[in-house]
Amino acid sequence: MNSIDDLVEIYECPLCGGAGILEEDCGSSYYVTCLECGCHSVNIDFKSDDDRLDAAKRTADLWNCGKVISMSPGE
């Protein structure tokens, strides 16, 4: 069976062009964060293993279309 990381494509950070990584938070949600500037997507929750892949894909889609949160002043 493929891992979630193999099934979900994560683009470069829309703000700095750094590498984005899909992360799981407490076994109940996913988010993407930039390894360079630290911006991140919102957390997408899942309640069961059946919903896990859908949550990962929805998180990646938001990141890939540029919907990110930055802690920089003025953002």
Side-chain angles (χ1 to χ4, degrees):
M1 180 178 211
N2 292 337
S3 74
I4 295 265
D5 293 326
D6 295 334
L7 300 173
V8 176
E9 183 177 7
I10 304 294
Y11 297 167
E12 294 175 341
C13 176
L15 296 181
C16 76
I21 185 169
L22 180 69
E23 298 189 276
E24 189 174 336
D25 188 23
C26 299
S28 63
S29 67
Y30 281 108
Y31 65 96
V32 177
T33 191
C34 175
L35 298 175
E36 298 293 322
C37 71
C39 70
H40 56 91
S41 69
V42 297
N43 284 48
I44 303 292
D45 296 335
F46 59 89
K47 299 200 185 303
S48 69
D49 285 339
D50 294 336
D51 297 334
R52 185 181 295 266
L53 179 58
D54 181 59
K57 286 181 177 179
R58 289 183 12 212
T59 304
D61 287 345
L62 288 172
W63 174 267
N64 292 342
C65 74
K67 306 266 185 188
V68 298
I69 302 166
S70 173
M71 298 307 231
S72 300
E75 293 291 323

